[in-house]
Amino acid sequence: MKLLHYRAPGRRRPPALLVMLPGVGIAPGEFAAHGFVDAARKQGRVDVAAAGPDVDLYLDGAIAEAIRQAIVVPALAEGYQRIWFLGLSLGGMGALLLARRYAADVAGIVLLAPFLGTPGVVAEVVRAGGLAAWQPGVIAPNDGERKMLAWLKDHVAAAPRPPVLHLGYGRDDRFAAGHAMLAETLPAERVHVTEGGHDWQAWSRLWRRILATEPFAPPKASPS
């Protein structure tokens, strides 16, 4: 798995690592080229790692374990206290599949135009009345999409608990039906919608808006 590392300004390592997972046909270096890395590091709270997992890992159902072994385990050994993910397009599914198996290792996920399932599966959930009403029934062992959506259904119903989810998408995105399905289950302040489709122009606007909410700030201590 190709990995590009970008340290935040300053001598001391910040407590959080942000892992950027791209979609199909997007190289990990494109995050930096489009300003995503610098924008995140300017907050001063995160180091960044941009990953390039092979698409075959998704097809083989091995993506979650591959991300954990290549990125999460070493990051925890280095002393990072929180690990966040930015999942772009198919990378959004990768981050959710990881969280489904290893939720304790993931502080939060920013989902930008995430691929949440094939049109038929998304339509099935929408017809049922959305994630909250959908009943997945018996899921085949190799049906990663429905397993992920079933976990997502339970996770948002049990909120607040980590990982925290943020969602951003363009109104004309080709996966917008799935995005709207997820949006109705999340707090309004963690959903960002812009004009545009499945492209860097829309994603860049969304990224700036999400960063303005300071999602990587340390969690506030509970009152005693």
PDB file of all heavy atoms in Angstrom, residues 111-112 165-171 179-194 206 209-210 213:
ATOM      1  N   LEU A 111     -16.518  11.779   5.545  1.00  0.00           N
ATOM      2  CA  LEU A 111     -16.942  11.109   4.323  1.00  0.00           C
ATOM      3  C   LEU A 111     -17.229  12.160   3.259  1.00  0.00           C
ATOM      4  O   LEU A 111     -18.167  12.947   3.392  1.00  0.00           O
ATOM      5  CB  LEU A 111     -18.194  10.277   4.580  1.00  0.00           C
ATOM      6  CG  LEU A 111     -18.031   9.122   5.582  1.00  0.00           C
ATOM      7  CD1 LEU A 111     -19.388   8.662   6.097  1.00  0.00           C
ATOM      8  CD2 LEU A 111     -17.271   7.967   4.950  1.00  0.00           C
ATOM      9  N   LEU A 112     -16.407  12.198   2.224  1.00  0.00           N
ATOM     10  CA  LEU A 112     -16.622  13.126   1.117  1.00  0.00           C
ATOM     11  C   LEU A 112     -17.108  12.339  -0.086  1.00  0.00           C
ATOM     12  O   LEU A 112     -16.383  11.484  -0.610  1.00  0.00           O
ATOM     13  CB  LEU A 112     -15.332  13.874   0.759  1.00  0.00           C
ATOM     14  CG  LEU A 112     -14.937  15.066   1.623  1.00  0.00           C
ATOM     15  CD1 LEU A 112     -13.736  15.773   0.999  1.00  0.00           C
ATOM     16  CD2 LEU A 112     -16.086  16.044   1.793  1.00  0.00           C
ATOM     17  N   LEU A 165     -18.969  10.814  12.678  1.00  0.00           N
ATOM     18  CA  LEU A 165     -19.096  10.854  11.224  1.00  0.00           C
ATOM     19  C   LEU A 165     -19.453  12.260  10.746  1.00  0.00           C
ATOM     20  O   LEU A 165     -20.366  12.886  11.291  1.00  0.00           O
ATOM     21  CB  LEU A 165     -20.177   9.875  10.750  1.00  0.00           C
ATOM     22  CG  LEU A 165     -19.994   8.404  11.116  1.00  0.00           C
ATOM     23  CD1 LEU A 165     -21.151   7.582  10.540  1.00  0.00           C
ATOM     24  CD2 LEU A 165     -18.656   7.861  10.619  1.00  0.00           C
ATOM     25  N   HIS A 166     -18.725  12.735   9.750  1.00  0.00           N
ATOM     26  CA  HIS A 166     -19.048  13.974   9.043  1.00  0.00           C
ATOM     27  C   HIS A 166     -19.277  13.603   7.582  1.00  0.00           C
ATOM     28  O   HIS A 166     -18.565  12.749   7.033  1.00  0.00           O
ATOM     29  CB  HIS A 166     -17.907  14.986   9.132  1.00  0.00           C
ATOM     30  CG  HIS A 166     -17.649  15.493  10.512  1.00  0.00           C
ATOM     31  ND1 HIS A 166     -18.050  16.739  10.943  1.00  0.00           N
ATOM     32  CD2 HIS A 166     -17.008  14.912  11.572  1.00  0.00           C
ATOM     33  CE1 HIS A 166     -17.670  16.905  12.203  1.00  0.00           C
ATOM     34  NE2 HIS A 166     -17.044  15.819  12.608  1.00  0.00           N
ATOM     35  N   LEU A 167     -20.225  14.263   6.946  1.00  0.00           N
ATOM     36  CA  LEU A 167     -20.572  13.952   5.563  1.00  0.00           C
ATOM     37  C   LEU A 167     -20.586  15.219   4.725  1.00  0.00           C
ATOM     38  O   LEU A 167     -21.131  16.244   5.125  1.00  0.00           O
ATOM     39  CB  LEU A 167     -21.958  13.298   5.510  1.00  0.00           C
ATOM     40  CG  LEU A 167     -22.571  13.072   4.119  1.00  0.00           C
ATOM     41  CD1 LEU A 167     -21.760  12.045   3.323  1.00  0.00           C
ATOM     42  CD2 LEU A 167     -24.023  12.619   4.241  1.00  0.00           C
ATOM     43  N   GLY A 168     -19.994  15.136   3.532  1.00  0.00           N
ATOM     44  CA  GLY A 168     -20.060  16.229   2.576  1.00  0.00           C
ATOM     45  C   GLY A 168     -20.265  15.680   1.176  1.00  0.00           C
ATOM     46  O   GLY A 168     -19.654  14.676   0.805  1.00  0.00           O
ATOM     47  N   TYR A 169     -21.139  16.342   0.391  1.00  0.00           N
ATOM     48  CA  TYR A 169     -21.371  15.868  -0.975  1.00  0.00           C
ATOM     49  C   TYR A 169     -21.973  16.976  -1.831  1.00  0.00           C
ATOM     50  O   TYR A 169     -22.523  17.961  -1.323  1.00  0.00           O
ATOM     51  CB  TYR A 169     -22.283  14.641  -0.995  1.00  0.00           C
ATOM     52  CG  TYR A 169     -23.700  14.857  -0.509  1.00  0.00           C
ATOM     53  CD1 TYR A 169     -24.742  15.087  -1.420  1.00  0.00           C
ATOM     54  CD2 TYR A 169     -24.011  14.810   0.846  1.00  0.00           C
ATOM     55  CE1 TYR A 169     -26.053  15.269  -0.969  1.00  0.00           C
ATOM     56  CE2 TYR A 169     -25.307  14.985   1.294  1.00  0.00           C
ATOM     57  CZ  TYR A 169     -26.329  15.213   0.383  1.00  0.00           C
ATOM     58  OH  TYR A 169     -27.621  15.387   0.816  1.00  0.00           O
ATOM     59  N   GLY A 170     -21.854  16.797  -3.138  1.00  0.00           N
ATOM     60  CA  GLY A 170     -22.443  17.725  -4.092  1.00  0.00           C
ATOM     61  C   GLY A 170     -23.850  17.278  -4.467  1.00  0.00           C
ATOM     62  O   GLY A 170     -24.125  16.077  -4.566  1.00  0.00           O
ATOM     63  N   ARG A 171     -24.722  18.248  -4.709  1.00  0.00           N
ATOM     64  CA  ARG A 171     -26.121  17.919  -5.017  1.00  0.00           C
ATOM     65  C   ARG A 171     -26.249  17.085  -6.286  1.00  0.00           C
ATOM     66  O   ARG A 171     -27.194  16.303  -6.422  1.00  0.00           O
ATOM     67  CB  ARG A 171     -26.934  19.207  -5.162  1.00  0.00           C
ATOM     68  CG  ARG A 171     -27.175  19.943  -3.863  1.00  0.00           C
ATOM     69  CD  ARG A 171     -28.108  21.120  -4.033  1.00  0.00           C
ATOM     70  NE  ARG A 171     -28.389  21.764  -2.742  1.00  0.00           N
ATOM     71  CZ  ARG A 171     -27.636  22.705  -2.207  1.00  0.00           C
ATOM     72  NH1 ARG A 171     -26.567  23.149  -2.860  1.00  0.00           N
ATOM     73  NH2 ARG A 171     -27.950  23.228  -1.026  1.00  0.00           N
ATOM     74  N   HIS A 179     -25.882   9.408  -0.341  1.00  0.00           N
ATOM     75  CA  HIS A 179     -25.494  10.479   0.570  1.00  0.00           C
ATOM     76  C   HIS A 179     -26.709  11.016   1.324  1.00  0.00           C
ATOM     77  O   HIS A 179     -26.659  11.226   2.536  1.00  0.00           O
ATOM     78  CB  HIS A 179     -24.828  11.609  -0.217  1.00  0.00           C
ATOM     79  CG  HIS A 179     -23.653  11.159  -1.031  1.00  0.00           C
ATOM     80  ND1 HIS A 179     -23.232  11.824  -2.152  1.00  0.00           N
ATOM     81  CD2 HIS A 179     -22.824  10.089  -0.889  1.00  0.00           C
ATOM     82  CE1 HIS A 179     -22.184  11.198  -2.665  1.00  0.00           C
ATOM     83  NE2 HIS A 179     -21.930  10.142  -1.908  1.00  0.00           N
ATOM     84  N   ALA A 180     -27.800  11.261   0.594  1.00  0.00           N
ATOM     85  CA  ALA A 180     -29.013  11.771   1.234  1.00  0.00           C
ATOM     86  C   ALA A 180     -29.557  10.761   2.239  1.00  0.00           C
ATOM     87  O   ALA A 180     -30.070  11.139   3.302  1.00  0.00           O
ATOM     88  CB  ALA A 180     -30.060  12.087   0.172  1.00  0.00           C
ATOM     89  N   MET A 181     -29.435   9.481   1.919  1.00  0.00           N
ATOM     90  CA  MET A 181     -29.871   8.428   2.828  1.00  0.00           C
ATOM     91  C   MET A 181     -29.111   8.506   4.149  1.00  0.00           C
ATOM     92  O   MET A 181     -29.700   8.390   5.236  1.00  0.00           O
ATOM     93  CB  MET A 181     -29.629   7.066   2.164  1.00  0.00           C
ATOM     94  CG  MET A 181     -29.844   5.854   3.045  1.00  0.00           C
ATOM     95  SD  MET A 181     -29.233   4.343   2.230  1.00  0.00           S
ATOM     96  CE  MET A 181     -27.444   4.579   2.348  1.00  0.00           C
ATOM     97  N   LEU A 182     -27.805   8.727   4.077  1.00  0.00           N
ATOM     98  CA  LEU A 182     -27.012   8.843   5.296  1.00  0.00           C
ATOM     99  C   LEU A 182     -27.247  10.177   5.989  1.00  0.00           C
ATOM    100  O   LEU A 182     -27.315  10.250   7.223  1.00  0.00           O
ATOM    101  CB  LEU A 182     -25.524   8.676   4.967  1.00  0.00           C
ATOM    102  CG  LEU A 182     -24.541   8.867   6.121  1.00  0.00           C
ATOM    103  CD1 LEU A 182     -24.845   7.905   7.268  1.00  0.00           C
ATOM    104  CD2 LEU A 182     -23.106   8.674   5.637  1.00  0.00           C
ATOM    105  N   ALA A 183     -27.393  11.240   5.203  1.00  0.00           N
ATOM    106  CA  ALA A 183     -27.534  12.587   5.767  1.00  0.00           C
ATOM    107  C   ALA A 183     -28.709  12.681   6.726  1.00  0.00           C
ATOM    108  O   ALA A 183     -28.635  13.360   7.755  1.00  0.00           O
ATOM    109  CB  ALA A 183     -27.687  13.611   4.647  1.00  0.00           C
ATOM    110  N   GLU A 184     -29.789  11.993   6.426  1.00  0.00           N
ATOM    111  CA  GLU A 184     -30.977  12.124   7.276  1.00  0.00           C
ATOM    112  C   GLU A 184     -30.797  11.469   8.634  1.00  0.00           C
ATOM    113  O   GLU A 184     -31.607  11.662   9.535  1.00  0.00           O
ATOM    114  CB  GLU A 184     -32.201  11.548   6.564  1.00  0.00           C
ATOM    115  CG  GLU A 184     -32.144  10.053   6.326  1.00  0.00           C
ATOM    116  CD  GLU A 184     -33.341   9.544   5.524  1.00  0.00           C
ATOM    117  OE1 GLU A 184     -34.074  10.381   4.953  1.00  0.00           O
ATOM    118  OE2 GLU A 184     -33.537   8.313   5.476  1.00  0.00           O
ATOM    119  N   THR A 185     -29.717  10.716   8.809  1.00  0.00           N
ATOM    120  CA  THR A 185     -29.471  10.068  10.102  1.00  0.00           C
ATOM    121  C   THR A 185     -28.447  10.810  10.948  1.00  0.00           C
ATOM    122  O   THR A 185     -28.246  10.452  12.112  1.00  0.00           O
ATOM    123  CB  THR A 185     -28.955   8.625   9.895  1.00  0.00           C
ATOM    124  OG1 THR A 185     -27.614   8.657   9.378  1.00  0.00           O
ATOM    125  CG2 THR A 185     -29.855   7.851   8.947  1.00  0.00           C
ATOM    126  N   LEU A 186     -27.789  11.833  10.376  1.00  0.00           N
ATOM    127  CA  LEU A 186     -26.713  12.531  11.074  1.00  0.00           C
ATOM    128  C   LEU A 186     -27.182  13.891  11.580  1.00  0.00           C
ATOM    129  O   LEU A 186     -28.090  14.492  11.012  1.00  0.00           O
ATOM    130  CB  LEU A 186     -25.517  12.725  10.133  1.00  0.00           C
ATOM    131  CG  LEU A 186     -24.837  11.463   9.606  1.00  0.00           C
ATOM    132  CD1 LEU A 186     -23.728  11.841   8.625  1.00  0.00           C
ATOM    133  CD2 LEU A 186     -24.287  10.619  10.746  1.00  0.00           C
ATOM    134  N   PRO A 187     -26.541  14.407  12.624  1.00  0.00           N
ATOM    135  CA  PRO A 187     -26.852  15.774  13.066  1.00  0.00           C
ATOM    136  C   PRO A 187     -26.600  16.769  11.939  1.00  0.00           C
ATOM    137  O   PRO A 187     -25.622  16.640  11.190  1.00  0.00           O
ATOM    138  CB  PRO A 187     -25.874  15.995  14.231  1.00  0.00           C
ATOM    139  CG  PRO A 187     -25.511  14.628  14.701  1.00  0.00           C
ATOM    140  CD  PRO A 187     -25.534  13.755  13.485  1.00  0.00           C
ATOM    141  N   ALA A 188     -27.458  17.770  11.823  1.00  0.00           N
ATOM    142  CA  ALA A 188     -27.367  18.725  10.720  1.00  0.00           C
ATOM    143  C   ALA A 188     -26.016  19.415  10.664  1.00  0.00           C
ATOM    144  O   ALA A 188     -25.507  19.712   9.573  1.00  0.00           O
ATOM    145  CB  ALA A 188     -28.485  19.760  10.838  1.00  0.00           C
ATOM    146  N   GLU A 189     -25.399  19.674  11.817  1.00  0.00           N
ATOM    147  CA  GLU A 189     -24.121  20.386  11.821  1.00  0.00           C
ATOM    148  C   GLU A 189     -22.977  19.538  11.283  1.00  0.00           C
ATOM    149  O   GLU A 189     -21.886  20.057  11.036  1.00  0.00           O
ATOM    150  CB  GLU A 189     -23.787  20.883  13.237  1.00  0.00           C
ATOM    151  CG  GLU A 189     -23.527  19.791  14.256  1.00  0.00           C
ATOM    152  CD  GLU A 189     -24.779  19.332  14.992  1.00  0.00           C
ATOM    153  OE1 GLU A 189     -25.898  19.606  14.490  1.00  0.00           O
ATOM    154  OE2 GLU A 189     -24.639  18.703  16.059  1.00  0.00           O
ATOM    155  N   ARG A 190     -23.207  18.263  11.074  1.00  0.00           N
ATOM    156  CA  ARG A 190     -22.161  17.405  10.510  1.00  0.00           C
ATOM    157  C   ARG A 190     -22.471  16.964   9.080  1.00  0.00           C
ATOM    158  O   ARG A 190     -21.850  16.042   8.566  1.00  0.00           O
ATOM    159  CB  ARG A 190     -21.932  16.198  11.416  1.00  0.00           C
ATOM    160  CG  ARG A 190     -21.250  16.601  12.715  1.00  0.00           C
ATOM    161  CD  ARG A 190     -20.611  15.447  13.430  1.00  0.00           C
ATOM    162  NE  ARG A 190     -21.462  14.919  14.487  1.00  0.00           N
ATOM    163  CZ  ARG A 190     -21.967  13.700  14.495  1.00  0.00           C
ATOM    164  NH1 ARG A 190     -21.743  12.864  13.498  1.00  0.00           N
ATOM    165  NH2 ARG A 190     -22.729  13.288  15.498  1.00  0.00           N
ATOM    166  N   VAL A 191     -23.401  17.642   8.444  1.00  0.00           N
ATOM    167  CA  VAL A 191     -23.732  17.378   7.040  1.00  0.00           C
ATOM    168  C   VAL A 191     -23.509  18.659   6.245  1.00  0.00           C
ATOM    169  O   VAL A 191     -24.023  19.720   6.600  1.00  0.00           O
ATOM    170  CB  VAL A 191     -25.195  16.913   6.885  1.00  0.00           C
ATOM    171  CG1 VAL A 191     -25.533  16.730   5.408  1.00  0.00           C
ATOM    172  CG2 VAL A 191     -25.421  15.610   7.646  1.00  0.00           C
ATOM    173  N   HIS A 192     -22.751  18.553   5.155  1.00  0.00           N
ATOM    174  CA  HIS A 192     -22.427  19.708   4.317  1.00  0.00           C
ATOM    175  C   HIS A 192     -22.739  19.361   2.865  1.00  0.00           C
ATOM    176  O   HIS A 192     -22.261  18.338   2.350  1.00  0.00           O
ATOM    177  CB  HIS A 192     -20.951  20.073   4.460  1.00  0.00           C
ATOM    178  CG  HIS A 192     -20.560  20.397   5.872  1.00  0.00           C
ATOM    179  ND1 HIS A 192     -20.544  21.683   6.366  1.00  0.00           N
ATOM    180  CD2 HIS A 192     -20.209  19.586   6.907  1.00  0.00           C
ATOM    181  CE1 HIS A 192     -20.180  21.657   7.638  1.00  0.00           C
ATOM    182  NE2 HIS A 192     -19.976  20.391   7.992  1.00  0.00           N
ATOM    183  N   VAL A 193     -23.531  20.206   2.240  1.00  0.00           N
ATOM    184  CA  VAL A 193     -23.949  19.982   0.855  1.00  0.00           C
ATOM    185  C   VAL A 193     -23.571  21.216   0.040  1.00  0.00           C
ATOM    186  O   VAL A 193     -23.713  22.351   0.509  1.00  0.00           O
ATOM    187  CB  VAL A 193     -25.467  19.729   0.753  1.00  0.00           C
ATOM    188  CG1 VAL A 193     -25.850  19.369  -0.680  1.00  0.00           C
ATOM    189  CG2 VAL A 193     -25.889  18.625   1.716  1.00  0.00           C
ATOM    190  N   THR A 194     -23.076  20.995  -1.170  1.00  0.00           N
ATOM    191  CA  THR A 194     -22.689  22.098  -2.036  1.00  0.00           C
ATOM    192  C   THR A 194     -23.179  21.842  -3.449  1.00  0.00           C
ATOM    193  O   THR A 194     -23.651  20.747  -3.764  1.00  0.00           O
ATOM    194  CB  THR A 194     -21.159  22.283  -2.033  1.00  0.00           C
ATOM    195  OG1 THR A 194     -20.815  23.480  -2.724  1.00  0.00           O
ATOM    196  CG2 THR A 194     -20.462  21.114  -2.720  1.00  0.00           C
ATOM    197  N   LEU A 206     -16.196  21.593   0.073  1.00  0.00           N
ATOM    198  CA  LEU A 206     -16.686  20.849   1.227  1.00  0.00           C
ATOM    199  C   LEU A 206     -15.599  20.672   2.284  1.00  0.00           C
ATOM    200  O   LEU A 206     -15.865  20.783   3.485  1.00  0.00           O
ATOM    201  CB  LEU A 206     -17.210  19.485   0.774  1.00  0.00           C
ATOM    202  CG  LEU A 206     -18.479  19.525  -0.081  1.00  0.00           C
ATOM    203  CD1 LEU A 206     -18.666  18.212  -0.816  1.00  0.00           C
ATOM    204  CD2 LEU A 206     -19.699  19.833   0.788  1.00  0.00           C
ATOM    205  N   ARG A 209     -15.194  23.788   4.328  1.00  0.00           N
ATOM    206  CA  ARG A 209     -16.310  23.959   5.265  1.00  0.00           C
ATOM    207  C   ARG A 209     -16.184  23.032   6.465  1.00  0.00           C
ATOM    208  O   ARG A 209     -16.430  23.430   7.616  1.00  0.00           O
ATOM    209  CB  ARG A 209     -17.636  23.692   4.548  1.00  0.00           C
ATOM    210  CG  ARG A 209     -18.003  24.730   3.508  1.00  0.00           C
ATOM    211  CD  ARG A 209     -19.365  24.396   2.911  1.00  0.00           C
ATOM    212  NE  ARG A 209     -19.652  25.193   1.733  1.00  0.00           N
ATOM    213  CZ  ARG A 209     -20.753  25.059   1.003  1.00  0.00           C
ATOM    214  NH1 ARG A 209     -21.678  24.163   1.352  1.00  0.00           N
ATOM    215  NH2 ARG A 209     -20.946  25.812  -0.065  1.00  0.00           N
ATOM    216  N   ILE A 210     -15.822  21.815   6.206  1.00  0.00           N
ATOM    217  CA  ILE A 210     -15.705  20.846   7.304  1.00  0.00           C
ATOM    218  C   ILE A 210     -14.553  21.218   8.221  1.00  0.00           C
ATOM    219  O   ILE A 210     -14.672  21.169   9.451  1.00  0.00           O
ATOM    220  CB  ILE A 210     -15.562  19.421   6.741  1.00  0.00           C
ATOM    221  CG1 ILE A 210     -16.864  18.995   6.056  1.00  0.00           C
ATOM    222  CG2 ILE A 210     -15.186  18.430   7.850  1.00  0.00           C
ATOM    223  CD1 ILE A 210     -16.769  17.709   5.271  1.00  0.00           C
ATOM    224  N   THR A 213     -15.150  23.696  10.996  1.00  0.00           N
ATOM    225  CA  THR A 213     -15.819  23.235  12.215  1.00  0.00           C
ATOM    226  C   THR A 213     -14.838  22.626  13.219  1.00  0.00           C
ATOM    227  O   THR A 213     -15.257  22.188  14.297  1.00  0.00           O
ATOM    228  CB  THR A 213     -16.912  22.203  11.892  1.00  0.00           C
ATOM    229  OG1 THR A 213     -16.299  20.971  11.449  1.00  0.00           O
ATOM    230  CG2 THR A 213     -17.854  22.715  10.806  1.00  0.00           C
TER     231      THR A 213
END
